[in-house]
Amino acid sequence: MTKVSPIISIRNLKIQFGEEIVHEGLDLDISPGEIFGIVGGSGSGKSVLMNAVLGLLSPLEGTITVLGEKIGSLEQITKLHLQSHWGVLFQGGALFSSLTVGENIQIPLKEMEHVSDEFAREMAFIKLKMVGLKEEDFFKYPAELSGGMVKRAGLARALAVDPEILFLDEPTAGLDPISASAFDDLILTLRNNLNLTVIMVTHDLDSIRRLCDRIAVLVDKKAIVGTLEALLDNKHPWVREYFHGVRGKAALAGFKE
Amino acid sequence: MERLEVKSPKLEVLSQKEMVLFKPTGSWLAKTVREAEPLCLALSQKSLPKHLVFDLSELETYDTAGVWLLQRTMQDLEYKGHRIELRSESRAFKTLSSRLSPYKPAFEKIHKPYSFFEERLIELGIISVNLFFLTCDLVVFLGQVATGLFSTLLHPSRLRLISIVYHIERFGVNAIPIVSLLALSLGLVLAYQGEEQLRRFGAEIYTINLVSISIFREVGVLITAILVAGRTGSSITAQIGIMKINQEVDALNTLGLSPMDVLIIPRIIALILVLPLLTFVANIAGLVGGGIMVIFSLDVSPQLYMHRINEAVTLGSFWVGFLKAPLFGAIIGLVSCFEGMRVKGTAESIGICTTRSVVEGIFLVTIVDALLSIFFSKVGV
């Protein structure tokens, strides 16, 4: 990676819930244009880290800087301004259940950018097709969609305002291998076409291998960051177990040779 | 910091002899579409020559929204018979626009507006049909609950005692303060109004009869039922509804546990047991409320007050009120569980079903109470 100023940088982060310390002294830099994976065991605080970056929970110590603006010290206006620079796909899709898919996608356009109704609708159609949904899905309610379609609709909403940063929380979890691989393709094409920076929390070793430029492994309340090659040589027992366990071996077979 | 700077989009128009040259400059982004869209819309108002040129050389930044806006404008102009020429199109612009080009959304076929009158008529039809099916479903559900209750009678081991006791605490014990307060103030109000009217005949001592009989026969049980319908009915519906959305109800089914036994029967039994007890509390509190008023403003001693009540209220009056309570409890439990099981999919549906549960509960309780009042007065209790 060449030295460009990072799009997201985290310094000395500490997050604590009651007695339990989730992160302590965590540092992380994410460069523009990369696909950055975050992995870790259950309960290692992957989603907590993402929520902290998104400003959904405030850390005890440390600073998080996104696009040069400090999260947590944001004034209301700059926060709104920043929010139109990122899109988030939550684990369960988090579509608004009382709105149709089309209305869900239009919400960020209408509420944040105040574009005309007609343009919002056309953009929603475009994004809908971009993520591989059909035109008739526009009028469906989230309860009528399958798991994979919910993820795609959520992605379309996250992409609605053409964000620079895309957060994905377990995008391929719960998808069949064909849909998962199609989703990986989609993320790659979108990154290449739209100059996205993608931050994805995932357990899917296939996605990691295909997509991620760099990976952060959350262990011992800190992050071990590196490319897949570098992490394969890492000596930390949990990292070894993760990449060289039965599943890791199967998914990454032939990667180093 | 500079990354957040966005230049406002502009559309330069240069008229030459046979053609017009458009030069979009600045940032054409989703964030600036609000400013860019009027520029493009203004184009369609103007009268333009046949040959139009779009020069993209000074277009600085763009994303799908900006590209689509330009493309849409060009498509519109082409449709009107203009010839469009694109100049200095960058590669990135081309890849983006080629990804968008197959998207020509057609909206007309989907929107078919109805007139105001038609819409109301359709609404009326939907409401009537829904009401019919709602009644059918409720009757079916009543049958299911009845068979469920009957089979628990045959197999008492299937009765979930702990669950029933837990719900008795939540629905009954925890409701005592609010029920007493409400009944107390109603007793006060009744006594106050009654005394004012009866005083004109010099019969103010009969306030005691009025208060005690109306509380025992009607007010105590009715106010308890209405309060429980609002307080407990809504909570039952919301809880069962969320369990349905989370597929917890499905999980119960797959574990071989019937939701009827686990969720519905214990709640209904708890309500049937709790409502008479709460009614009794409400009756006592109502009498206390009436007593406060009577003792202080009519100068009646507490002993006399008790004595008059004893004379006025027959055992029949007491039972008329008291026996309605388990029936009302069953109605509330039935309606709230029924509405809970009807929740489907969305968060909105929980709100709708909870509202309906409370409204239907209170409605049915009041109707049944009116019918019973007529019945009892005809029978002469």
Side-chain angles (χ1 to χ4, degrees):
Chain A
M1 275 281 130
T2 44
K3 269 280 163 219
V4 275
S5 63
I7 197 161
I8 295 176
S9 87
I10 299 172
R11 285 285 166 274
N12 193 30
L13 184 75
K14 180 172 183 180
I15 296 175
Q16 193 171 355
F17 294 118
E19 291 291 291
E20 196 190 337
I21 299 170
V22 185
H23 298 301
E24 197 170 19
L26 187 145
D27 294 332
L28 203 62
D29 280 318
I30 297 171
S31 322
E34 71 177 336
I35 298 184
F36 192 89
I38 299 175
V39 301
S42 304
S44 62
K46 303 179 294 285
S47 301
V48 170
L49 181 63
M50 200 170 103
N51 286 346
V53 175
L54 291 171
L56 295 177
L57 61 88
S58 37
L60 206 63
E61 284 170 20
T63 54
I64 301 173
T65 321
V66 178
L67 288 161
E69 305 236 10
K70 241 192 213 164
I71 301 280
S73 66
L74 289 175
E75 298 287 314
Q76 201 58 33
I77 305 242
T78 40
K79 189 162 182 175
L80 245 178
H81 186 57
L82 195 56
Q83 272 161 359
S84 63
H85 289 264
W86 67 37
V88 187
L89 169 61
F90 287 97
Q91 204 170 343
L95 295 173
F96 302 117
S97 59
S98 48
L99 304 178
T100 63
V101 171
E103 287 164 340
N104 261 289
I105 305 174
Q106 288 174 55
I107 280 209
L109 284 163
K110 283 190 182 165
E111 296 301 318
M112 280 156 36
E113 310 306 341
H114 306 284
V115 303
S116 72
D117 286 1
E118 200 193 347
F119 192 80
R121 208 167 47 202
E122 287 171 10
M123 281 312 292
F125 258 107
I126 286 174
K127 302 285 151 138
L128 192 80
K129 294 237 179 134
M130 219 177 223
V131 298
L133 288 171
K134 293 195 200 71
E135 227 167 89
E136 56 261 34
D137 298 331
F138 194 87
F139 300 98
K140 282 187 183 151
Y141 283 91
E144 301 169 83
L145 302 180
S146 71
M149 285 158 83
V150 167
K151 295 241 154 135
R152 283 167 188 269
L155 183 63
R157 189 179 69 184
L159 289 171
V161 285
D162 285 281
E164 285 152 59
I165 311 171
L166 185 62
F167 291 92
L168 308 170
D169 195 356
E170 307 222 11
T172 52
L175 298 186
D176 67 87
I178 300 172
S179 310
S181 130
F183 208 88
D184 289 346
D185 287 337
L186 179 64
I187 291 166
L188 263 184
T189 2
L190 289 175
R191 194 271 299 259
N192 296 340
N193 281 320
L194 304 177
N195 291 322
L196 281 170
T197 307
V198 181
I199 293 128
M200 56 193 285
V201 171
T202 185
H203 280 303
D204 189 336
L205 284 157
D206 294 305
S207 304
I208 291 173
R209 180 183 170 173
R210 280 191 61 202
L211 300 181
C212 293
D213 300 314
R214 287 192 311 149
I215 300 152
V217 186
L218 300 185
V219 278
D220 304 334
K221 306 182 179 89
K222 289 186 171 48
I224 301 174
V225 185
T227 58
L228 187 53
E229 283 102 328
L231 287 172
L232 283 173
D233 294 333
N234 196 292
K235 289 287 181 290
H236 191 285
W238 196 88
V239 180
R240 281 200 72 77
E241 179 65 25
Y242 191 86
F243 290 107
H244 297 282
V246 182
R247 282 173 164 246
K249 266 208 183 108
L252 304 175
F255 180 74
K256 279 219 94 173
E257 278 79 51
Chain B
M1 281 302 204
E2 60 193 320
R3 222 182 267 122
L4 294 184
E5 282 325 314
V6 171
K7 281 187 189 160
S8 67
K10 296 231 160 49
L11 189 63
E12 284 174 25
V13 183
L14 305 166
S15 291
Q16 290 161 6
K17 46 187 181 317
E18 284 291 284
M19 57 164 191
V20 174
L21 184 86
F22 297 107
K23 218 176 208 180
T25 59
S27 310
W28 288 63
L29 301 170
K31 298 155 192 64
T32 58
V33 159
R34 206 177 357 156
E35 301 165 52
E37 204 184 352
L39 303 175
C40 291
L41 287 180
L43 282 191
S44 54
Q45 314 291 339
K46 285 185 192 161
S47 61
L48 296 166
K50 195 167 166 44
H51 188 193
L52 303 175
V53 179
F54 279 82
D55 185 355
L56 305 181
S57 55
E58 279 168 49
L59 190 57
E60 282 174 36
T61 45
Y62 45 85
D63 57 15
T64 46
V67 172
W68 171 246
L69 189 58
L70 283 171
Q71 202 172 331
R72 170 174 104 147
T73 315
M74 289 185 239
Q75 273 175 14
D76 273 359
L77 291 171
E78 219 159 30
Y79 181 75
K80 279 184 193 155
H82 296 283
R83 193 160 62 79
I84 310 284
E85 186 189 328
L86 260 179
R87 275 187 202 161
S88 346
E89 189 185 14
S90 68
R91 261 189 65 135
F93 187 93
K94 213 173 230 165
T95 30
L96 256 187
S97 80
S98 71
R99 284 189 69 85
L100 306 187
S101 58
Y103 313 143
K104 279 180 194 157
F107 300 102
E108 285 72 17
K109 59 180 178 189
I110 300 143
H111 287 278
K112 211 172 117 197
Y114 292 107
S115 73
F116 178 82
F117 181 68
E118 278 174 322
E119 233 167 57
R120 295 294 97 77
L121 200 64
I122 290 169
E123 239 166 62
L124 184 68
I126 291 173
I127 290 172
S128 329
V129 172
N130 283 349
L131 199 62
F132 176 74
F133 284 112
L134 180 85
T135 318
C136 293
D137 289 347
L138 189 58
V139 171
V140 171
F141 189 74
L142 176 66
Q144 287 170 341
V145 171
T147 48
L149 274 175
F150 192 67
S151 71
T152 25
L153 277 184
L154 293 181
H155 312 274
S157 58
R158 270 166 61 189
L159 204 61
R160 288 165 186 274
L161 269 181
I162 295 174
S163 171
I164 293 176
V165 172
Y166 168 76
H167 285 119
I168 287 178
E169 190 197 342
R170 265 189 52 205
F171 301 164
V173 180
N174 297 349
I176 288 176
I178 185 73
V179 165
S180 329
L181 186 67
L182 217 61
L184 188 98
S185 51
L186 267 172
L188 268 172
V189 170
L190 266 177
Y192 193 78
Q193 297 294 333
E195 189 251 8
E196 238 182 41
Q197 300 301 318
L198 290 171
R199 186 183 293 276
R200 299 179 193 182
F201 309 102
E204 58 262 42
I205 197 70
Y206 283 97
T207 312
I208 300 170
N209 295 42
L210 175 90
V211 169
S212 53
I213 291 176
S214 54
I215 282 181
F216 271 114
R217 287 188 81 113
E218 296 289 344
V219 174
V221 63
L222 208 55
I223 195 64
T224 311
I226 289 173
L227 195 91
V228 170
R231 187 182 174 276
T232 309
S234 58
S235 100
I236 290 178
T237 307
Q239 195 193 356
I240 294 183
I242 300 252
M243 290 184 79
K244 259 208 101 184
I245 289 185
N246 281 344
Q247 291 194 301
E248 290 172 53
V249 174
D250 297 344
L252 280 177
N253 271 323
T254 56
L255 291 170
L257 299 164
S258 102
M260 185 60 79
D261 286 352
V262 180
L263 298 177
I264 296 169
I265 300 280
R267 283 175 172 77
I268 292 183
I269 290 183
L271 273 174
I272 291 176
L273 294 177
V274 144
L275 221 70
L277 303 177
L278 278 180
T279 303
F280 188 75
V281 171
N283 288 348
I284 301 299
L287 288 186
V288 170
I292 291 172
M293 159 67 202
V294 168
I295 289 165
F296 282 103
S297 74
L298 290 186
D299 223 11
V300 175
S301 72
Q303 285 79 14
L304 184 60
Y305 180 62
M306 305 273 263
H307 183 71
R308 296 288 312 204
I309 291 174
N310 208 6
E311 272 182 1
V313 182
T314 58
L315 206 58
S317 295
F318 172 76
W319 283 117
V320 162
F322 200 66
L323 282 180
K324 284 191 277 194
L327 182 66
F328 291 172
I331 291 174
I332 294 165
L334 197 76
V335 168
S336 53
C337 291
F338 172 69
E339 287 296 340
M341 295 299 277
R342 271 160 54 92
V343 168
K344 258 190 225 99
T346 65
E348 196 183 10
S349 127
I350 291 188
I352 293 173
C353 286
T354 310
T355 310
R356 266 209 308 246
S357 148
V358 174
V359 173
E360 280 167 17
I362 293 176
F363 172 77
L364 282 177
V365 161
T366 327
I367 294 288
V368 170
D369 186 61
L371 292 177
L372 284 177
S373 278
I374 298 170
F375 172 77
F376 283 130
S377 74
K378 290 271 182 234
V379 171
V381 184

